[in-house]
Amino acid sequence: MSRISVRGFAVASATAVTTVGAVVGVAAGSTPAVDDNNFEATAADTTLLADIPAGQQAQVQTASLTQQADAQASAADAAAKKSAEESARVQAAKDAKSKKQAAEDKLEREREAAKKEREERASRSQVRSTATFAQQSSYSVAEVQAIARQIVPADQFQCFSNIVNHESSWNYRASNPSSGAYGLVQALPGSKMSSAGADWMTNPATQIKWGLSYMNNRYDSPCGAWSFWQANHWY
């Protein structure tokens, strides 16, 4: 018969087993190695399965197996939880990387679209700026505005007009004696407009061409210049 010892076993009554320790015995012909000096203490702390009434041995063995099964289940749950947490971490990292890439791709598309728009606007402005207008001895506000509509892109005209309204009220001969600013867009100094034509003092078309070029180069567009003007009251 196999000798199986149960450490820490206590019998609460003749018919019930209430506490079972860990099974420490070994099967057939093998017994735990115990130091001679500790043999008596070990024996005193050990209850042999053979010493337990036959009717209760099955309960002891079942309780021990239940403890082992519970321990294994707990270990399996912990491993599953750890695996799930690691999978979640890996997935979160992948999601973050995907979102970052998507944001970068979107930004790049927006930059390309903005660049294309600027190039198209510059191309349109270049075509308009080469247009020639018969010079007159004088121009009415309506005539100056008509020239501006032919030079400034339609989607930018209102912004351009807003600035000119505030700067010169569409007077192409407007002069600021204190600063030296001159013309429709109040170039400072007025002589800057000579880059658009030698007739910058008397030709509104030359002033409009220069003003449009200035707004495009410095603010990307007349509407960009107008946004700045609204915030600062100068541009």
Side-chain angles (χ1 to χ4, degrees):
M1 175 180 181
S2 300
R3 291 175 58 83
I4 302 176
S5 61
V6 182
R7 183 180 300 277
F9 174 76
V11 180
S13 68
T15 60
V17 178
T18 58
T19 306
V20 178
V23 175
V24 297
V26 296
S30 176
T31 59
V34 180
D35 188 281
D36 290 341
N37 294 330
N38 297 324
F39 179 78
E40 292 181 0
T42 302
D45 193 36
T46 302
T47 298
L48 298 179
L49 187 60
D51 296 334
I52 301 174
Q56 298 174 10
Q57 291 181 12
Q59 296 180 34
V60 172
Q61 291 174 322
T62 299
S64 178
L65 292 174
T66 298
Q67 286 183 334
Q68 293 179 43
D70 289 345
Q72 291 173 354
S74 295
D77 288 344
K81 182 179 180 181
K82 182 177 180 180
S83 178
E85 290 175 346
E86 179 62 18
S87 296
R89 185 190 67 78
V90 172
Q91 187 60 47
K94 289 181 179 179
D95 291 344
K97 184 177 180 180
S98 296
K99 288 181 180 180
K100 179 181 178 182
Q101 187 61 50
E104 291 176 349
D105 291 344
K106 181 180 178 182
L107 180 60
E108 183 61 26
R109 289 194 298 271
E110 291 175 348
R111 287 174 176 170
E112 287 297 324
K115 179 180 178 182
K116 184 177 180 180
E117 183 180 355
R118 286 195 299 271
E119 290 175 347
E120 291 177 348
R121 185 184 300 128
S123 179
R124 292 195 300 269
S125 297
Q126 181 62 30
V127 171
R128 290 168 181 263
S129 67
T130 58
T132 57
F133 300 88
Q135 191 165 357
Q136 303 173 189
S137 58
S138 63
Y139 300 83
S140 67
V141 170
E143 289 174 329
V144 174
Q145 290 176 336
I147 293 172
R149 286 185 182 278
Q150 296 181 62
I151 297 174
V152 180
D155 62 338
Q156 297 294 314
F157 179 78
Q158 188 58 57
C159 294
F160 185 91
S161 178
N162 291 341
I163 292 176
V164 175
N165 276 332
H166 284 283
E167 294 293 325
S168 65
S169 299
W170 290 95
N171 178 6
Y172 66 99
R173 294 182 181 274
S175 177
N176 187 323
S178 61
S179 68
Y182 185 85
L184 294 170
V185 294
Q186 290 292 280
L188 181 64
S191 57
K192 282 184 176 181
M193 293 186 289
S194 62
S195 61
D199 56 354
W200 58 271
M201 293 188 69
T202 58
N203 192 340
T206 299
Q207 296 181 12
I208 293 168
K209 292 174 184 178
W210 183 88
L212 177 60
S213 176
Y214 171 80
M215 294 177 196
N216 284 338
N217 291 333
R218 183 156 184 163
Y219 301 102
D220 288 332
S221 67
C223 284
W226 173 235
S227 294
F228 184 89
W229 195 100
Q230 288 176 292
N232 302 277
H233 299 290
W234 61 274
Y235 75 110

